[in-house]
Amino acid sequence: MHINFFNNSNTKSKQTFKARLFDQNGQQIKAFDLQSCLKNIDVMSKRGGKKTDIFVKEFISEDAGYAGYDNYVRLTLSNPLFGEQSFVQNLHHTTNNPVKGDTGNELYHMDLLTGIQTNNCKNLENKAFRMSLLKKIQKAAAQKDTENMNPVNIVNNMLSKIPPKEHGFSAERLSDFRTVAQDMLEQILYKGIEQIKK
């Protein structure tokens, strides 16, 4: 019997998931194990923001010699708040065999990637949000627009333009993003002070 771990066209059209996960072939993945599939449990419904899409572009497995393989995944995250951001995420541990090319192993690592390794996608969203802020800061710096080099101001501006129903994040998650912006501001100020000292 073939078990489909991916989106089933025979299921109800109403979407109950939050973050949507897509594999390298563009198929949506809702569950990662046989039991969840048999019981029609949508595991991804408990992970990530309501409007966040996560696209797994490629697994990368590098031979680490006697240590086995270091594994990474190339991702694109998309949400109306932080736009579309692409990066490579470390899978945080070595394996005896390469993850890349082994369907079962890739599925297991997608489960880890969107679950316990990233606090149910929150760390991935925070990283994408930080990347979005950094791009805006770099653009403002190139234009010598000092007001828009402040990440806290950028966040306020973003949230004034994008209503909650569009980005789907709760007040708690927005607080997380404000913390990301505040941390960035502190880093900018600290590095600036360090440059002045020199």
Side-chain angles (χ1 to χ4, degrees):
M1 181 175 87
H2 175 72
I3 300 297
N4 185 5
F5 287 92
F6 309 107
N7 191 25
N8 187 339
S9 59
N10 295 328
T11 58
K12 296 178 183 176
S13 61
K14 185 178 178 183
Q15 297 175 340
T16 58
F17 49 77
K18 288 188 178 180
R20 296 187 303 175
L21 175 67
F22 298 90
D23 72 358
Q24 303 95 306
N25 300 314
Q27 291 185 294
Q28 185 186 341
I29 299 173
K30 291 187 177 184
F32 305 95
D33 62 86
L34 183 62
Q35 288 294 84
S36 296
C37 290
L38 289 173
K39 294 177 181 177
N40 201 26
I41 297 171
D42 180 359
V43 176
M44 280 300 296
S45 68
K46 297 179 176 65
R47 304 177 183 185
K50 293 177 182 177
K51 302 284 184 175
T52 300
D53 287 338
I54 302 167
F55 301 91
V56 173
K57 298 296 185 179
E58 177 189 14
F59 279 92
I60 302 164
S61 293
E62 296 178 350
D63 191 341
Y66 291 114
Y69 289 85
D70 292 326
N71 299 286
Y72 308 86
V73 61
R74 194 179 307 280
L75 298 171
T76 296
L77 264 71
S78 177
N79 181 283
L81 186 62
F82 52 69
E84 188 171 280
Q85 308 298 329
S86 298
F87 54 90
V88 174
Q89 179 72 24
N90 188 341
L91 291 176
H92 302 296
H93 66 278
T94 57
T95 54
N96 291 332
N97 298 308
V99 170
K100 181 181 175 72
D102 182 326
T103 304
N105 217 353
E106 288 182 356
L107 196 65
Y108 170 71
H109 282 83
M110 280 188 265
D111 186 11
L112 291 179
L113 177 74
T114 58
I116 60 172
Q117 278 191 357
T118 61
N119 191 18
N120 288 338
C121 301
K122 288 181 180 179
N123 296 349
L124 295 178
E125 290 172 333
N126 289 356
K127 187 171 183 175
F129 185 74
R130 184 182 170 85
M131 288 179 72
S132 176
L133 289 181
L134 188 57
K135 287 177 184 176
K136 292 178 190 304
I137 291 167
Q138 289 170 335
K139 182 179 178 182
Q143 297 172 346
K144 297 184 179 178
D145 180 2
T146 53
E147 185 176 333
N148 288 312
M149 287 171 59
N150 182 329
V152 175
N153 291 347
I154 293 170
V155 171
N156 291 335
N157 190 35
M158 290 166 74
L159 293 176
S160 70
K161 291 180 179 177
I162 304 168
K165 66 179 179 181
E166 285 186 31
H167 59 66
F169 290 117
S170 65
E172 180 185 5
R173 285 298 284 136
L174 293 180
S175 177
D176 293 342
F177 294 140
R178 289 184 189 281
T179 300
V180 169
Q182 187 62 44
D183 289 346
M184 284 186 77
L185 178 59
E186 289 171 12
Q187 287 176 15
I188 291 168
L189 292 173
Y190 178 75
K191 287 182 179 178
I193 291 167
E194 287 299 301
Q195 291 298 319
I196 293 167
K197 284 180 182 177
K198 293 177 184 176

